[in-house]
Every structure is written in C-alpha cells, then in structure tokens.
Amino acid sequence: MILVTGGAGYIGSHCVRELQERGMDVVVYDNLVTGHIESVPNGVPFVKGDIFDVELLRQTFRKYGVDSVIHFAAYSLVGESMSNPAKYYHNNVAGTLALLDAMIAEKVGYLVFSSSAATYGDCGNGLITEDSPQNPTSVYGQTKLMMEQFMQDYDKAYGLKYVALRYFNAAGAHRSGEIGEAHNPESHLIPIILQVANGKRDHIGIFGEDYPTPDGTCVRDYIHITDLADAHIRALDYLKQGGKSTHYNLGNGNGFSVKEVIDMTEKVTGLSIKRAIEPRRAGDPATLVASSEKIKRELGWKPQYDSLESIISSAWKWHSSHKNGYDKD
Ligand code: UDP
C-alpha cells in the first residue's frame, strides 16, 4: 500500500489517478488546507491529517499496511516563501521531519519525494543536470534542499531509501478533464494566463522584462503533470527492486520565456491575452531548464506531452470547463 501525502493537491491528485489506473493500492493523506477533496477518486481511502501528526501517520501506516510513501504535502509558492519564510520552514521542513520520524518508527522504508528545480537557483543559460550546483534563490527552494539533505542522512543512518524528483514547471491536466490545477488564489503562470482567456482576470502581469534572457522575461521548462506522475511510479518500482537512493530532474529540456508562453496560449485558445510589464518577483532565477537524461537512461522515462502546445491545450481543456476550479461554475 502506498500512502500519498498531499494526494488531494494538484500534482498529488494526478499521481493518485495514475496509481489507481494501474491497479496499485493507494491511500490519500491530506489536511485539505490547499487540497481538494473532490479530486480524490471514488474507492480510494482518504485520511484527513497533517504531516505533523506523527501518531495519526503511524496509525494510518499500520491500518493500511503502508510500505511506501510519495510525499507531496508542502507549501510551494516562491513569492510567498520570501515574504513568509516562517510558514515554509515550519511546514515543509519540520513537517517532513515528523513524516520521516513516523516512517522510521513503523519501518516504512521507501520514499519518493517531490523536490524542485528551485533547489538549483541561478545556473546560467545551459541545461541543468543533477550535478549542477544547488544554490537556491528562494526560501521555498531552500526548504526542498534541506529536505533532500535530511533524506540523505536518514538513508545513511536508518536505511531509508528515497528518490528525490526535482520538477521543473508542472502544468496541464488529466486527460479525463475531471481534475486539474486549482489554487486559490492562483499564482502560477499558465493558469493565470488562462484566467485572462476565461475573462476572470483583466490581464497577465509579466514579472520583469530585464532578465538576461533573449526577450528579457524568465525562461522555464514546462512539464506535463501526467508525465510527472509516471516518473513517480517508475521511481517507486525502482526502489522496490532494490535501487539505491538518488535524484532525478524532470523536465522537457526546452525553455520558454513568459512572453512565449503567453503567445502560445493565444494560439491555443484563439483569444487575445492582454499583458502588462510588472516588477520582478523576489526569488525568481532568470532561467531554469532541465536535462532529464539521467531518468530517461536509468528508468526509461519519456515525456508523452513533449510540446508546449500540447501542455497548454491540456490545461485549457480543464480551465475552460472549470472556470472556478472545483467550485461550481
Ligand atoms: N510569472 C509571471 N506572472 C505571473 C506568474 C508568474 O510573469 O502572474 C512568471 C514567474 O516570474 C516565473 C514564471 O512565470 O518566471 C513561472 O512562474 P510560476 O509561478 O508559474 O512557477 P515557478 O517558476 O515559480 O515554479
């Protein structure tokens, strides 16, 4: 049985669908602070709980016979992490320590961890490999790096086996159209642009036009949520077959600027998107683009959604039919 923390959140819910579709046993553990109960599929057990609650975690591990954890539960906004670092250090860092304590106590030995490209910080314009230096520019990135370090030490001391997946920019929605990205308030680029397309916002603010990139706006590597989910399942299989603890980047290997993403959204939706230049957002590196060669080589992972157009089309399918996310339209 696999326990998914944050399984009612954006990335977690897509991973739960993928696990369920492949007939794997899964229990969702989520405090529903940012997650949506509507995204938990019928037939999947759900436990409302906090990752700080070591007792509830231990009981849940025993009740369901949990042997592995996929850990998504975290706050994940770069901008907010700069203005409210306490929230990020308390929840992401201390919360993960509590989860690890519960795992060690109940001898749950496998962990797939949701890490981030934000652990790298500014690496120039080249492709980032797993060996690139990790110097986060945001508190959010710093919390993810600290958690990677804990896991390394817990592996050495207690034999915990983990894979840390460093995602670049997750986007898109499930092919069923039933689940997708729904943050409140929304802060991510593609959903905000689609809210402009939906008429829910007047314009998209471009955070900085003076970065050292071809058009001056930040460059990111967008990766489809279903491709991310597939990587988690491969990582877990790898650990269960005796694989060593390791780290993998997950991206498409192509960088797109904020302006290019807006232009592509105009193409996909056939609508004109109003834009305005705004100041830089604290904590943003200029360019983050992945080399994902290591996971392709070692786990046979291959993204199915390998174009920005297919990723934005998938996101638009969800947003155009769920203008208010999981709330009734
Ligand atoms: N961004 C922007 N306007 C927005 C939201 C985001 O210009 O309203 C930029 C942001 O500065 C970053 C990129 O879009 O360079 C992707 O941001 P997002 O928050 O989607 O993901 P992150 O890179 O923080 O994981």
Side-chain angles (χ1 to χ4, degrees):
M1 176 67 88
I2 304 159
L3 180 126
V4 180
T5 74
Y10 172 44
I11 306 181
S13 63
H14 285 76
C15 192
V16 167
R17 279 295 156 120
E18 219 51 37
L19 288 162
Q20 195 197 27
E21 282 171 16
R22 296 186 199 190
M24 299 165 89
D25 287 329
V26 51
V27 49
V28 171
Y29 189 93
D30 199 300
N31 63 8
L32 297 181
V33 169
T34 56
H36 303 276
I37 189 68
E38 299 87 343
S39 70
V40 179
N42 286 336
V44 169
F46 172 73
V47 177
K48 184 166 187 276
D50 212 283
I51 49 173
F52 288 98
D53 194 341
V54 176
E55 241 346 280
L56 181 60
L57 278 168
R58 291 186 61 173
Q59 276 171 26
T60 308
F61 289 157
R62 288 197 295 267
K63 176 171 176 193
Y64 291 98
V66 170
D67 64 0
S68 45
V69 172
I70 305 183
H71 176 36
F72 294 101
Y75 292 122
S76 63
L77 304 180
V78 167
E80 183 187 59
S81 78
M82 304 303 282
S83 55
N84 192 357
K87 177 173 173 181
Y88 281 69
Y89 284 117
H90 280 289
N91 183 77
N92 294 8
V93 177
T96 296
L97 277 176
L99 170 68
L100 293 181
D101 287 345
M103 289 180 68
I104 301 302
E106 296 297 328
K107 301 192 171 41
V108 176
Y110 304 113
L111 178 62
V112 178
F113 172 61
S114 128
S115 187
S116 171
T119 59
Y120 292 110
D122 264 313
C123 289
N125 289 334
L127 291 185
I128 296 173
T129 70
E130 289 78 2
D131 298 326
S132 298
Q134 287 180 293
N135 297 308
T137 51
S138 67
V139 170
Y140 167 67
Q142 185 64 44
T143 66
K144 290 283 174 176
L145 182 57
M146 291 169 92
M147 293 185 268
E148 284 194 6
Q149 284 163 353
F150 298 157
M151 286 170 209
Q152 218 169 357
D153 294 336
Y154 276 47
D155 181 11
K156 282 195 200 120
Y158 312 121
L160 174 81
K161 294 295 165 220
Y162 71 94
V163 170
L165 296 173
R166 296 177 186 150
Y167 324 143
F168 284 61
N169 287 61
H174 193 260
R175 56 193 163 272
S176 65
E178 289 169 11
I179 54 171
E181 188 164 9
H183 300 109
N184 193 11
E186 190 50 76
S187 76
H188 292 101
L189 181 65
I190 292 177
I192 290 186
I193 302 173
L194 293 174
Q195 288 182 344
V196 180
N198 266 332
K200 292 192 63 78
R201 270 179 205 256
D202 174 61
H203 68 280
I204 170 79
I206 297 175
F207 297 157
E209 199 188 21
D210 57 350
Y211 283 96
T213 59
D215 65 18
T217 66
C218 285
V219 170
R220 295 286 181 275
D221 181 343
Y222 294 87
I223 165 97
H224 195 273
I225 195 87
T226 301
D227 289 326
L228 280 184
D230 176 58
H232 288 77
I233 297 172
R234 286 173 190 268
L236 197 55
D237 286 348
Y238 158 85
L239 288 176
K240 288 188 173 171
Q241 285 163 22
K244 287 198 308 244
S245 296
T246 191
H247 312 90
Y248 293 113
N249 285 346
L250 282 173
N252 268 308
N254 299 310
F256 294 95
S257 72
V258 173
K259 285 185 179 169
E260 285 174 321
V261 175
I262 301 172
D263 292 344
M264 181 58 82
T265 310
E266 290 190 326
K267 183 176 168 207
V268 166
T269 61
L271 298 164
S272 151
I273 310 284
K274 197 165 145 196
R275 48 191 95 183
I277 306 300
E278 291 181 6
R280 286 185 178 198
R281 181 175 72 178
D284 270 340
T287 302
L288 288 172
V289 184
S291 159
S292 302
E293 290 312 309
K294 186 178 170 205
I295 190 163
K296 287 182 180 164
R297 197 174 56 240
E298 295 185 4
L299 303 191
W301 176 78
K302 190 171 176 295
Q304 305 298 310
Y305 293 79
D306 57 0
S307 71
L308 183 63
E309 185 166 4
S310 64
I311 293 172
I312 295 179
S313 299
S314 146
W316 180 229
K317 182 176 169 191
W318 159 257
H319 283 280
S320 55
S321 58
H322 295 82
K323 292 190 182 173
N324 295 314
Y326 288 98
D327 297 339
K328 295 264 173 291
D329 284 332

